[in-house]
């Protein structure tokens, strides 16, 4: 009777044991899946954080690069202008030239004309200047060019430059201007000596396309869209002063309205963007760009170094792609690890279940 009773109790208890093992296995599986989901979320969040950090750092790096190039360009422009003023001051100290001009005004001697022409040609240099001319108060005019009929003084920009130079008594630089379809920038300096006190002005004409515009257009780093623009306000318009990379024959010809809402240069002239800080907008092509604007000292000019946002985003997209691939690889590794532990858990439970059954048998 005792044996029969024990056997019945044992038989009633056997079906419940596999149920307990299955429940433990199910709980273990849920725990592993929960761990994987949590791990995947952590990996994705870290990837997003790294992506935003890299994008921010890339943007700051691009802005710093534009700032550095802008400072370089402004420094080159200022140095070039100072060199031209220095050349004019060198001629100013040429008393022999001034005295010869004084004597020529009174005598109109062909020998003095030839002497003055030779000295002016020397100061003209090897194509550094297009023309060097002396303009006197009595209408006396001598130049390195073959044109000696005072046509130079008929150009409004030069007349204004001569007047300003005589008034202030120091070297002056003209603004960029067009004459006969060519762009010029001139430097003028008053000439004087102890025995010749009347106002005599030396004018040294430059062709910006030979040197000046090359400084501006050169970009020190590889880029398919980056460029440097020089502009100023011309009434209600933005006037672009130099030749542009993406559009030909634009120097002193391309104008765009100052009230253009997104034009990068217009934002600066309206005071919505501060020189020295980065600006987002569109350029003369209507293409979204990121730029940094600088004020050129002692001139009405602004200089902007800019690059297409599409080019910037292309670099950022490469960074994002590498991050996405890294995140996917991490998820695959995490998934494989989870599957490994899942199967290990199942095998452990099956072994435990088999051991329990063997004990019961």
């Amino acid at each position: 009777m005792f044996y029969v009773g024990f056997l019945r109790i044992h038989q009633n208890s056997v079906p419940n044991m596999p149920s307990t093992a299955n429940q433990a296995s199910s709980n273990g599986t849920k725990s592993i899946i929960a761990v994987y989901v949590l791990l995947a979320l952590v990996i994705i969040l870290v990837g997003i954080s790294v992506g935003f950090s890299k994008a921010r750092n890339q943007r700051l790096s691009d802005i710093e690069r534009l700032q550095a190039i802008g400072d370089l360009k402004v420094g080159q422009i200022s140095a070039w202008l100072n060199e031209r003023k220095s050349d004019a001051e060198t001629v100013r100290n040429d008393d022999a030239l001034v005295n010869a001009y004084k004597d020529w005004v009174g005598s109109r001697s062909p020998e003095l004309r030839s002497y003055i022409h030779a000295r002016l040609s020397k100061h003209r240099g090897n194509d550094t200047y297009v023309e060097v001319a002396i303009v006197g108060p009595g209408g006396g005019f001598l130049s390195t060019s073959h044109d000696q009929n005072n046509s130079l003084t008929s150009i409004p920009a030069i007349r204004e430059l001569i007047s300003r130079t005589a008034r202030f008594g120091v070297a002056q630089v003209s603004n960029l201007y067009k004459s006969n379809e060519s762009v010029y920038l001139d430097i003028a300096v008053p000439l004087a000596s102890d025995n010749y006190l009347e106002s005599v002005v030396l004018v040294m004409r430059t062709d910006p396309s030979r040197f000046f515009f090359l400084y501006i257009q050169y970009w020190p780093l590889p880029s398919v869209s980056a460029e440097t623009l020089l502009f100023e306000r011309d009434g209600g318009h933005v006037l672009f002063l130099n030749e542009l990379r993406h559009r030909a024959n634009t120097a002193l010809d391309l104008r765009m309205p100052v009230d253009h809402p997104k034009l990068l240069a217009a934002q600066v002239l309206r005071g919505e963007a501060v020189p020295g800080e980065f600006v987002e907008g569109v350029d003369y092509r209507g293409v979204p760009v990121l730029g940094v604007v600088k004020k050129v000292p002692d001139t009405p000019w602004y200089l902007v170094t800019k690059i297409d946002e599409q080019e910037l985003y292309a670099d950022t997209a490469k960074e994002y792609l590498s991050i996405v691939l890294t995140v996917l690889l991490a998820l695959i590794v995490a998934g494989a690890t989870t599957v490994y532990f899942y199967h290990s858990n199942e095998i452990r439970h099956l072994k435990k279940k088999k051991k329990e059954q063997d004990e019961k048998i």
Side-chain angles (χ1 to χ4, degrees), residues 162-181:
I162 292 173
S163 174
R164 180 154 45 93
T165 304
R167 185 167 65 253
F168 291 106
V170 294
Q172 299 290 319
V173 180
S174 75
N175 204 351
L176 291 162
Y177 68 92
K178 262 195 170 185
S179 177
N180 297 326
E181 300 305 317

Side-chain angles (χ1 to χ4, degrees), residues 138-150:
F141 178 87
L142 286 176
S143 170
T144 55
S145 70
H146 297 293
D147 181 14
Q148 301 291 345
N149 59 6
N150 292 10

Side-chain angles (χ1 to χ4, degrees), residues 18 39 75 131 172 200 203 212 228 230 236 271 314 320 322 325 332 356:
L39 184 60
E131 185 177 10
Q172 299 290 319
V200 179
V203 178
F212 184 67
T228 306
L230 198 66
Y320 275 130
S322 64
L325 293 176
I332 291 172
E356 292 175 351

Side-chain angles (χ1 to χ4, degrees), residues 8-24 353 356-357 360:
R8 286 178 179 176
I9 294 173
H10 178 70
Q11 288 175 345
N12 290 336
S13 62
V14 168
N16 293 330
M17 297 306 293
S19 176
T20 303
N22 290 336
Q23 184 68 30
K353 179 180 177 181
E356 292 175 351
Q357 290 176 344
K360 293 171 186 175

Side-chain angles (χ1 to χ4, degrees), residues 180-191:
N180 297 326
E181 300 305 317
S182 297
V183 179
Y184 295 98
L185 184 143
D186 302 337
I187 298 92
V189 63
L191 300 181

